[in-house]
Amino acid sequence: AIMFLVHPCTPTGMICSNKRNQRIFCFRHAESLWNAQGSNRLKGLIDAPLTIRGYHQCANLKQYLQQSSALTRLNIQLVVVSPLTRALETYKEVFRWYVDEMGEQAKVIIDPRISEKVSSSGSKGTPTSVLKEKYPNFQFENLSENWWYHPSALSSSKSRWEPEKNVVTRVRSFLKWISCRPESNILIIGHGHTFRTLTNFAYNKVSMEEDENYDLEVMSYEGVNELNIQENFSDAAPDQMFRCNLDMVSVGISTKI
C-alpha cells in the first residue's frame, strides 16, 4: 500500500469524458485488542481499542506518510472515519496531522455507515455522549446517541447479529453519498467486513439499483503489515481483502454526468 500511495496510478478504463471520476482509499484500522486476543477473547469486550502493537503500527505508518508526502501527492480532500474506537484512534494517530495541516482544504467526517458489522460485542459502539467527552475536538453531529445496530446486541446469539442485508443497505447508502460529494480523492478508515461488502459492489456480487448511476472498480489491493509490503493481489477476491491490519484497497468511482 505504501508503494501505491507514493506512485498512484489510474486505470484507463475509468477515464471517460462524460463521467466524473473519484478515488477512495479504504484503510482498515490498526491492530485492536479484539484482533490480538484471537480465540482467547474476553466475552463482553465492547468497542475494542487498539493494542500497544496497534499504536506502534500507527506510529510507523504516520512517520512514513509524513516523510513521503504521500497524502499530499494524492491530494486527499476528505477523510471519512468509522465511529468505532479502533478506527477513531487510527485516524487520530496516523492521519489527523494531515487534516490539521491542510486546514480548509481537507475535511473529516465521522460516519456510522462504515462501522463494522455487529456480530460481536467488540463491534458494539460507544454512546455518542461518551465519545464527545473522549474526543472533544471531533465532530459527532451525524451520530445518534446509540448509533450502532441494535444497542444491546452481543455475540452470544447469532440471531442478535446485524443482518448482512443491513450492512449492504448502509454501504449502498454510503456509496451513493460519496458519489455525490465534490471531493475527488477520499480516504476512508474502517473495518474488514464492511470494506469487503464495499468491494462486493465492484465485483458485481451485489447488484446495483436502477437509480445508481456510478460504476466501481478495484484499482489496487496490497496488504500492509508494519510497513512490510506483502504480496500484491491485484486480482484478489473480496474475501481475501482486509485480513491484515492497515490493509488498503483503492477503489475508483465513475459517476455518469
Side-chain angles (χ1 to χ4, degrees):
I2 303 304
M3 293 174 63
F4 177 75
L5 283 171
V6 177
H7 303 290
C9 60
T10 301
T12 57
M14 293 297 293
I15 299 176
C16 184
S17 59
N18 65 343
K19 292 185 178 182
R20 185 173 70 94
N21 299 309
Q22 297 171 290
R23 289 183 299 176
I24 58 176
F25 301 90
C26 303
F27 263 96
R28 188 184 180 215
H29 58 82
E31 184 185 76
S32 72
L33 188 59
W34 189 266
N35 303 143
Q37 289 182 344
S39 59
N40 296 320
R41 294 182 180 113
L42 295 173
K43 292 183 178 180
L45 174 64
I46 294 175
D47 196 6
L50 297 184
T51 61
I52 293 176
R53 175 185 170 92
Y55 282 108
H56 287 165
Q57 291 172 338
C58 289
N60 289 340
L61 181 55
K62 177 183 177 181
Q63 182 180 26
Y64 189 93
L65 293 175
Q66 288 179 320
Q67 292 176 349
S68 67
S69 300
L71 297 177
T72 303
R73 294 186 189 193
L74 287 175
N75 189 27
I76 297 296
Q77 301 151 327
L78 174 65
V79 181
V80 187
V81 189
S82 157
L84 286 170
T85 294
R86 51 194 181 273
L88 292 171
E89 286 295 307
T90 300
Y91 162 71
K92 182 168 72 74
E93 297 296 323
V94 181
F95 301 103
R96 184 179 177 183
W97 65 271
Y98 172 79
V99 174
D100 290 343
E101 283 190 3
M102 294 299 291
E104 295 183 357
Q105 298 180 57
K107 301 176 182 178
V108 59
I109 294 176
I110 298 170
D111 196 318
R113 290 175 294 187
I114 56 169
S115 62
E116 187 59 299
K117 176 180 180 179
V118 181
S119 59
S120 68
S121 61
S123 292
K124 177 183 177 183
T126 296
T128 300
S129 57
V130 178
L131 291 176
K132 287 180 178 179
E133 292 182 4
K134 187 174 181 180
Y135 303 100
N137 296 320
F138 289 13
Q139 300 298 316
F140 296 101
E141 64 271 10
N142 294 328
L143 299 185
S144 60
E145 178 66 5
N146 295 315
W147 49 265
W148 59 96
Y149 175 81
H150 202 309
S152 62
L154 295 175
S155 59
S156 58
S157 172
K158 287 188 176 182
S159 64
R160 302 177 72 180
W161 288 10
E162 181 176 12
E164 186 62 27
K165 64 179 181 180
N166 193 73
V167 181
V168 170
T169 297
R170 55 184 172 89
V171 171
R172 186 189 300 278
S173 171
F174 177 76
L175 287 171
K176 286 183 180 180
W177 173 75
I178 284 289
S179 71
C180 295
R181 294 288 306 183
E183 297 87 2
S184 298
N185 302 301
I186 301 162
L187 179 70
I188 305 173
I189 304 166
H191 311 271
H193 186 92
T194 304
F195 282 154
R196 286 189 292 274
T197 301
L198 188 152
T199 56
N200 277 339
F201 282 87
Y203 284 104
N204 297 317
K205 292 191 174 184
V206 178
S207 59
M208 292 288 189
E209 295 181 343
E210 290 185 2
D211 63 339
E212 293 172 330
N213 63 341
Y214 57 86
D215 298 315
L216 298 179
E217 177 182 345
V218 174
M219 297 163 62
S220 176
Y221 166 66
E222 295 183 69
V224 179
N225 185 0
E226 294 186 328
L227 301 185
N228 294 318
I229 303 301
Q230 300 180 3
E231 284 188 87
N232 181 357
F233 297 91
S234 59
D235 297 317
D239 60 357
Q240 293 177 298
M241 297 178 176
F242 300 107
R243 296 298 181 181
C244 297
N245 300 120
L246 295 179
D247 264 8
M248 190 277 286
V249 168
S250 172
V251 178
I253 303 182
S254 181
T255 305
K256 298 176 184 177
I257 299 175

